Amino acid sequence: MKHTCALLLLLVSARIAGAQAPGVPVYAEGRGARPNAVLTEQAKKLQGDSELLSMTKVLEQAQRTQCDIVLPAADSKPLTARERWQRARMSHLRVGQFYICSKCDKWHLDLSGGYVITADGAVATCAHVIAPPPNMKEGWMVAVTEEDVVLPVTEVLACNIGTDCAIIRVKSDQPLTPLPLSLDVSPGDAVWCFSDPDGKRGYFSEGIVSRFVKRPFMTKKEADKLPEGSEVAKPVWLETTTDWAPGSSGSALIDQFGNAVGHVSEIQTVLEESLPARKKKSEATVIQQLGTQMVFHQAIGAVEVKALVKKP
């Protein structure tokens, strides 16, 4: 009986160990995982070797409105589900700041998403992803591969705050996997997103394009700071049913061919109205807030990224 139990335990352990296909990562989560510990040490070394771009330089270079890079042509061969996941994963980078906090004087990593658009290291992301965190004392830009290798960000090639688009340059010893950009997308088309919503690594979600919208990205408060007479940009948005959350910003939205048709920018939640206030004896007024009705997932269209690239 003991031998039988031991054999069953070995079989179960082997099944658990091989639960995923070859090459599929299993992410560590929960107490004691400390996913950023290794990344922080890598970033410290790069910063000590003066290989990182300071946030002061980031803000200066973010004034550039166009760059001269050669984008790969869009693909037209449909990919299998696994091939789409693999391409989305290999082109995905975590992009953000490595900084000293003004509140606690400790090192922090604030990472969102980005996606490679040329093999030599041009990376697209959101303009709001490269903006300094509010509690930053001193900081530098970094990018991180899916293999947990920290790459130096060496330059901001172009940026448009009004369309929430930026293109940066990263330094890598290995060729990177680029996503072609495509504008051939329609409501009803299936789209996928590989991102890290709320810090949950490697989340791959599927949905469809719901509609296209043209509206400002900048708030009225931000627009009021523009020089007098400036026109407020109104980027093209793709609204989709694909899932993402804070932390997904800048991650690519891909089509069935593995082309990037946009990138994650915003989320808008529609809540039910509060129920009328009611009072109980010797109690304060109570207002019941009902739950979420709907969540709009909004991506900036690839046309806005292409607008940052000079035409040949």
Side-chain angles (χ1 to χ4, degrees):
M1 184 66 179
K2 289 182 179 179
H3 293 297
T4 303
C5 290
L7 180 60
L8 286 172
L9 182 60
L10 285 172
L11 288 173
V12 171
S13 299
R15 189 174 297 171
I16 292 173
Q20 73 281 4
V24 175
V26 177
Y27 301 105
E29 288 187 351
R31 186 176 299 175
R34 301 186 66 216
N36 284 344
V38 174
L39 304 183
T40 299
E41 291 306 310
Q42 291 184 56
K44 279 184 181 179
K45 186 178 186 308
L46 290 171
Q47 189 272 331
D49 293 341
S50 301
E51 291 196 48
L52 300 182
L53 186 69
S54 72
M55 290 305 297
T56 302
K57 287 289 186 182
V58 168
L59 292 175
E60 290 175 4
Q61 295 177 4
Q63 303 302 311
R64 301 169 178 175
T65 57
Q66 283 197 315
C67 61
D68 192 2
I69 59 174
V70 180
L71 297 171
D75 285 332
S76 57
K77 179 184 176 182
L79 302 179
T80 66
R82 290 189 180 189
E83 288 171 338
R84 281 192 297 271
W85 166 79
Q86 182 70 1
R87 180 177 289 191
R89 177 176 179 267
M90 294 308 296
S91 66
H92 181 261
L93 292 177
R94 286 166 280 166
V95 176
Q97 294 78 26
F98 173 63
Y99 67 97
I100 301 174
C101 179
S102 59
K103 295 182 179 180
C104 65
D105 278 334
K106 292 183 179 180
W107 292 96
H108 294 286
L109 274 171
D110 185 11
L111 301 175
S112 293
Y115 53 107
V116 180
I117 56 175
T118 68
D120 61 354
V123 176
T125 186
C126 290
H128 78 258
V129 165
I130 71 170
N135 57 332
M136 186 192 77
K137 184 177 181 180
E138 188 177 9
W140 298 264
M141 282 286 296
V142 295
V144 184
T145 70
E146 282 302 299
E147 284 72 36
D148 289 337
V149 176
V150 178
L151 303 178
V153 174
T154 60
E155 189 177 9
V156 177
L157 298 175
C159 182
N160 188 332
I161 297 173
T163 61
D164 200 23
C165 290
I167 300 175
I168 61 176
R169 173 83 67 189
V170 302
K171 179 183 177 182
S172 175
D173 295 333
Q174 302 294 327
L176 300 173
T177 302
L179 289 180
L181 302 181
S182 175
L183 311 185
D184 185 12
V185 60
S186 167
D189 286 355
V191 284
W192 293 262
C193 182
F194 183 97
S195 70
D196 299 337
D198 196 33
K200 305 294 184 184
R201 288 284 309 281
Y203 190 85
F204 194 51
S205 61
E206 178 184 20
I208 62 168
V209 176
S210 304
R211 65 172 187 155
F212 288 82
V213 181
K214 195 166 188 178
R215 65 166 178 82
F217 166 75
M218 301 179 79
T219 64
K220 185 178 184 304
K221 187 176 181 181
E222 291 169 331
D224 288 342
K225 294 179 182 178
L226 294 174
E228 188 175 348
S230 298
E231 185 177 350
V232 178
K234 293 183 178 180
V236 175
W237 302 77
L238 285 75
E239 287 189 347
T240 83
T241 61
T242 316
D243 281 333
W244 58 69
S248 300
S249 289
S251 301
L253 198 67
I254 68 168
D255 63 14
Q256 63 173 321
F257 311 112
N259 302 311
V261 296
H263 61 246
V264 176
S265 178
E266 287 189 349
I267 303 167
Q268 290 185 348
T269 304
V270 179
L271 299 174
E272 292 183 80
E273 295 181 5
S274 301
L275 291 177
R278 57 188 175 83
K279 286 187 178 181
K280 291 184 178 180
K281 291 181 180 179
S282 69
E283 284 188 9
T285 302
V286 177
I287 299 178
Q288 286 184 300
Q289 176 69 58
L290 301 182
T292 300
Q293 285 187 327
M294 190 173 184
V295 179
F296 289 97
H297 294 82
Q298 297 166 328
I300 294 289
V303 65
E304 305 298 352
V305 178
K306 277 197 167 185
L308 298 182
V309 179
K310 293 179 182 177
K311 294 181 180 179

